[in-house]
Amino acid sequence: MKKRRTREVLLMVLFFCLTNIAFGQIQTKTDTILCHNKNLIIEYPAIHKINVVNYEEGYFKIINCVLDSAAIIIHCGSMINLPLTDLSDKIICSEFVLGKDVRSIRGYYMTDNGKKYFREDNYFKYGIAIVYEHVGETKLKSYEHFFNDIKIQ
């Protein structure tokens, strides 16, 4: 009788974990990235693969989000053309400019799998550019939340 009860409890815990992963929020990680003596604090999906590309004037940190095929690109440095995103095949939904300090561009583009969204935030004052791209409609709120909560200290 005791073994049966233990098995039932384990199955319930397993079921709860699986439904939480499948239907719950994205499991996330918070990272602090040093850029020009400033700390960039950003949250992104916990299951990811990171690639860092250095060049003479800075670096790119590319975070490939495994579960939804989105990518977050963080650029710290100079000597690049902005925006990082190639806008030639994209539909711009909004563009926000705050003087010479901040620019944010949002939009989407069409793929065989439907609309994919992107956003690029340029923090000119700090030499930082942050992009998400290839985000599906079902995950858009999560990525917007990640970018709206970015802190530079």
Side-chain angles (χ1 to χ4, degrees):
M1 189 67 145
K2 188 175 181 179
K3 282 186 179 183
R4 183 175 180 209
R5 179 76 177 148
T6 305
R7 233 183 275 148
E8 287 175 356
V9 170
L10 287 174
L11 284 173
M12 282 181 48
V13 169
L14 180 63
F15 177 73
F16 176 75
C17 290
L18 290 175
T19 55
N20 191 31
I21 290 169
F23 301 110
Q25 294 181 344
I26 296 175
Q27 301 298 317
T28 62
K29 173 185 177 176
T30 301
D31 198 359
T32 301
I33 301 164
L34 182 63
C35 184
H36 299 302
N37 297 322
K38 295 289 183 185
N39 288 320
L40 171 71
I41 302 168
I42 185 170
E43 186 179 13
Y44 51 83
I47 301 174
H48 60 274
K49 182 179 175 191
I50 294 178
N51 185 27
V52 177
V53 177
N54 292 299
Y55 70 101
E56 191 173 330
E57 300 292 330
Y59 67 89
F60 289 90
K61 184 173 188 173
I62 302 144
I63 303 165
N64 292 303
C65 307
V66 176
L67 295 179
D68 56 12
S69 76
I72 296 174
I73 302 162
I74 299 168
H75 173 262
C76 179
S78 58
M79 302 299 288
I80 60 161
N81 291 325
L82 293 175
L84 293 175
T85 307
D86 177 13
L87 301 175
S88 60
D89 61 341
K90 298 186 173 53
I91 292 120
I92 308 295
C93 295
S94 71
E95 184 169 359
F96 170 78
V97 179
L98 181 62
K100 294 183 178 180
D101 292 333
V102 179
R103 174 179 57 197
S104 182
I105 303 169
R106 288 181 176 91
Y108 65 92
Y109 52 97
M110 298 305 293
T111 66
D112 293 338
N113 298 330
K115 282 185 186 178
K116 296 294 180 180
Y117 293 85
F118 74 93
R119 174 176 169 179
E120 179 170 336
D121 292 350
N122 303 119
Y123 299 94
F124 301 116
K125 183 177 178 180
Y126 304 114
I128 299 172
I130 308 167
V131 178
Y132 71 65
E133 61 182 26
H134 205 70
V135 174
E137 219 159 338
T138 59
K139 302 289 184 182
L140 184 59
K141 275 187 176 180
S142 297
Y143 283 87
E144 280 293 311
H145 173 75
F146 297 156
F147 272 49
N148 291 339
D149 285 353
I150 287 174
K151 294 173 184 62
I152 300 175
Q153 303 173 336

PDB file of all heavy atoms in Angstrom, residues 61-76:
ATOM      1  N   LYS A  61      27.593  39.071 -28.448  1.00  0.00           N
ATOM      2  CA  LYS A  61      27.191  37.897 -27.678  1.00  0.00           C
ATOM      3  C   LYS A  61      25.864  37.442 -28.278  1.00  0.00           C
ATOM      4  O   LYS A  61      24.878  38.178 -28.227  1.00  0.00           O
ATOM      5  CB  LYS A  61      27.032  38.236 -26.201  1.00  0.00           C
ATOM      6  CG  LYS A  61      26.706  37.037 -25.339  1.00  0.00           C
ATOM      7  CD  LYS A  61      26.733  37.392 -23.859  1.00  0.00           C
ATOM      8  CE  LYS A  61      26.589  36.171 -23.010  1.00  0.00           C
ATOM      9  NZ  LYS A  61      26.773  36.467 -21.584  1.00  0.00           N
ATOM     10  N   ILE A  62      25.855  36.255 -28.860  1.00  0.00           N
ATOM     11  CA  ILE A  62      24.670  35.733 -29.530  1.00  0.00           C
ATOM     12  C   ILE A  62      24.087  34.617 -28.666  1.00  0.00           C
ATOM     13  O   ILE A  62      24.766  33.626 -28.384  1.00  0.00           O
ATOM     14  CB  ILE A  62      25.006  35.217 -30.938  1.00  0.00           C
ATOM     15  CG1 ILE A  62      25.625  36.357 -31.750  1.00  0.00           C
ATOM     16  CG2 ILE A  62      23.772  34.653 -31.626  1.00  0.00           C
ATOM     17  CD1 ILE A  62      26.698  35.931 -32.677  1.00  0.00           C
ATOM     18  N   ILE A  63      22.848  34.806 -28.246  1.00  0.00           N
ATOM     19  CA  ILE A  63      22.166  33.831 -27.402  1.00  0.00           C
ATOM     20  C   ILE A  63      21.090  33.172 -28.258  1.00  0.00           C
ATOM     21  O   ILE A  63      20.098  33.803 -28.612  1.00  0.00           O
ATOM     22  CB  ILE A  63      21.531  34.517 -26.176  1.00  0.00           C
ATOM     23  CG1 ILE A  63      22.596  35.276 -25.392  1.00  0.00           C
ATOM     24  CG2 ILE A  63      20.814  33.492 -25.304  1.00  0.00           C
ATOM     25  CD1 ILE A  63      22.037  36.279 -24.395  1.00  0.00           C
ATOM     26  N   ASN A  64      21.319  31.909 -28.619  1.00  0.00           N
ATOM     27  CA  ASN A  64      20.337  31.149 -29.395  1.00  0.00           C
ATOM     28  C   ASN A  64      19.403  30.444 -28.427  1.00  0.00           C
ATOM     29  O   ASN A  64      19.841  29.622 -27.624  1.00  0.00           O
ATOM     30  CB  ASN A  64      21.042  30.127 -30.293  1.00  0.00           C
ATOM     31  CG  ASN A  64      21.836  30.800 -31.375  1.00  0.00           C
ATOM     32  OD1 ASN A  64      21.286  31.572 -32.145  1.00  0.00           O
ATOM     33  ND2 ASN A  64      23.131  30.536 -31.414  1.00  0.00           N
ATOM     34  N   CYS A  65      18.141  30.784 -28.480  1.00  0.00           N
ATOM     35  CA  CYS A  65      17.128  30.235 -27.580  1.00  0.00           C
ATOM     36  C   CYS A  65      16.619  28.939 -28.201  1.00  0.00           C
ATOM     37  O   CYS A  65      15.897  28.949 -29.190  1.00  0.00           O
ATOM     38  CB  CYS A  65      16.020  31.251 -27.372  1.00  0.00           C
ATOM     39  SG  CYS A  65      16.677  32.855 -26.827  1.00  0.00           S
ATOM     40  N   VAL A  66      16.997  27.831 -27.611  1.00  0.00           N
ATOM     41  CA  VAL A  66      16.821  26.507 -28.201  1.00  0.00           C
ATOM     42  C   VAL A  66      15.351  26.128 -28.401  1.00  0.00           C
ATOM     43  O   VAL A  66      14.983  25.586 -29.436  1.00  0.00           O
ATOM     44  CB  VAL A  66      17.543  25.443 -27.344  1.00  0.00           C
ATOM     45  CG1 VAL A  66      17.297  24.053 -27.873  1.00  0.00           C
ATOM     46  CG2 VAL A  66      19.034  25.752 -27.275  1.00  0.00           C
ATOM     47  N   LEU A  67      14.494  26.406 -27.426  1.00  0.00           N
ATOM     48  CA  LEU A  67      13.114  25.925 -27.494  1.00  0.00           C
ATOM     49  C   LEU A  67      12.245  26.636 -28.522  1.00  0.00           C
ATOM     50  O   LEU A  67      11.248  26.082 -28.976  1.00  0.00           O
ATOM     51  CB  LEU A  67      12.455  26.020 -26.118  1.00  0.00           C
ATOM     52  CG  LEU A  67      13.066  25.126 -25.039  1.00  0.00           C
ATOM     53  CD1 LEU A  67      12.349  25.335 -23.715  1.00  0.00           C
ATOM     54  CD2 LEU A  67      13.028  23.671 -25.452  1.00  0.00           C
ATOM     55  N   ASP A  68      12.587  27.861 -28.905  1.00  0.00           N
ATOM     56  CA  ASP A  68      11.714  28.576 -29.831  1.00  0.00           C
ATOM     57  C   ASP A  68      12.438  29.163 -31.038  1.00  0.00           C
ATOM     58  O   ASP A  68      11.863  29.941 -31.782  1.00  0.00           O
ATOM     59  CB  ASP A  68      10.928  29.671 -29.102  1.00  0.00           C
ATOM     60  CG  ASP A  68      11.825  30.651 -28.380  1.00  0.00           C
ATOM     61  OD1 ASP A  68      13.042  30.635 -28.611  1.00  0.00           O
ATOM     62  OD2 ASP A  68      11.313  31.434 -27.578  1.00  0.00           O
ATOM     63  N   SER A  69      13.676  28.808 -31.266  1.00  0.00           N
ATOM     64  CA  SER A  69      14.489  29.221 -32.420  1.00  0.00           C
ATOM     65  C   SER A  69      14.701  30.730 -32.535  1.00  0.00           C
ATOM     66  O   SER A  69      15.103  31.225 -33.567  1.00  0.00           O
ATOM     67  CB  SER A  69      13.930  28.663 -33.737  1.00  0.00           C
ATOM     68  OG  SER A  69      12.789  29.382 -34.148  1.00  0.00           O
ATOM     69  N   ALA A  70      14.445  31.464 -31.471  1.00  0.00           N
ATOM     70  CA  ALA A  70      14.716  32.901 -31.470  1.00  0.00           C
ATOM     71  C   ALA A  70      16.187  33.131 -31.135  1.00  0.00           C
ATOM     72  O   ALA A  70      16.883  32.233 -30.664  1.00  0.00           O
ATOM     73  CB  ALA A  70      13.835  33.605 -30.449  1.00  0.00           C
ATOM     74  N   ALA A  71      16.642  34.359 -31.387  1.00  0.00           N
ATOM     75  CA  ALA A  71      18.017  34.722 -31.047  1.00  0.00           C
ATOM     76  C   ALA A  71      18.012  36.101 -30.405  1.00  0.00           C
ATOM     77  O   ALA A  71      17.246  36.981 -30.804  1.00  0.00           O
ATOM     78  CB  ALA A  71      18.891  34.723 -32.287  1.00  0.00           C
ATOM     79  N   ILE A  72      18.869  36.262 -29.423  1.00  0.00           N
ATOM     80  CA  ILE A  72      19.109  37.566 -28.807  1.00  0.00           C
ATOM     81  C   ILE A  72      20.565  37.894 -29.091  1.00  0.00           C
ATOM     82  O   ILE A  72      21.456  37.086 -28.824  1.00  0.00           O
ATOM     83  CB  ILE A  72      18.848  37.538 -27.292  1.00  0.00           C
ATOM     84  CG1 ILE A  72      17.374  37.238 -27.015  1.00  0.00           C
ATOM     85  CG2 ILE A  72      19.266  38.854 -26.651  1.00  0.00           C
ATOM     86  CD1 ILE A  72      17.038  37.038 -25.550  1.00  0.00           C
ATOM     87  N   ILE A  73      20.795  39.070 -29.655  1.00  0.00           N
ATOM     88  CA  ILE A  73      22.150  39.496 -29.998  1.00  0.00           C
ATOM     89  C   ILE A  73      22.459  40.743 -29.184  1.00  0.00           C
ATOM     90  O   ILE A  73      21.701  41.716 -29.201  1.00  0.00           O
ATOM     91  CB  ILE A  73      22.267  39.801 -31.502  1.00  0.00           C
ATOM     92  CG1 ILE A  73      21.884  38.563 -32.307  1.00  0.00           C
ATOM     93  CG2 ILE A  73      23.671  40.285 -31.845  1.00  0.00           C
ATOM     94  CD1 ILE A  73      21.546  38.844 -33.741  1.00  0.00           C
ATOM     95  N   ILE A  74      23.573  40.690 -28.471  1.00  0.00           N
ATOM     96  CA  ILE A  74      24.022  41.830 -27.682  1.00  0.00           C
ATOM     97  C   ILE A  74      25.341  42.287 -28.286  1.00  0.00           C
ATOM     98  O   ILE A  74      26.282  41.489 -28.423  1.00  0.00           O
ATOM     99  CB  ILE A  74      24.206  41.438 -26.201  1.00  0.00           C
ATOM    100  CG1 ILE A  74      22.870  40.964 -25.634  1.00  0.00           C
ATOM    101  CG2 ILE A  74      24.777  42.606 -25.405  1.00  0.00           C
ATOM    102  CD1 ILE A  74      22.965  40.283 -24.296  1.00  0.00           C
ATOM    103  N   HIS A  75      25.406  43.553 -28.675  1.00  0.00           N
ATOM    104  CA  HIS A  75      26.638  44.110 -29.211  1.00  0.00           C
ATOM    105  C   HIS A  75      27.151  45.175 -28.263  1.00  0.00           C
ATOM    106  O   HIS A  75      26.400  46.051 -27.837  1.00  0.00           O
ATOM    107  CB  HIS A  75      26.426  44.726 -30.594  1.00  0.00           C
ATOM    108  CG  HIS A  75      27.641  45.453 -31.066  1.00  0.00           C
ATOM    109  ND1 HIS A  75      27.773  46.812 -30.944  1.00  0.00           N
ATOM    110  CD2 HIS A  75      28.792  44.995 -31.601  1.00  0.00           C
ATOM    111  CE1 HIS A  75      28.957  47.166 -31.413  1.00  0.00           C
ATOM    112  NE2 HIS A  75      29.590  46.084 -31.818  1.00  0.00           N
ATOM    113  N   CYS A  76      28.407  45.083 -27.933  1.00  0.00           N
ATOM    114  CA  CYS A  76      29.054  46.079 -27.097  1.00  0.00           C
ATOM    115  C   CYS A  76      30.294  46.543 -27.841  1.00  0.00           C
ATOM    116  O   CYS A  76      31.169  45.728 -28.135  1.00  0.00           O
ATOM    117  CB  CYS A  76      29.427  45.473 -25.752  1.00  0.00           C
ATOM    118  SG  CYS A  76      30.250  46.644 -24.671  1.00  0.00           S
TER     119      CYS A  76
END
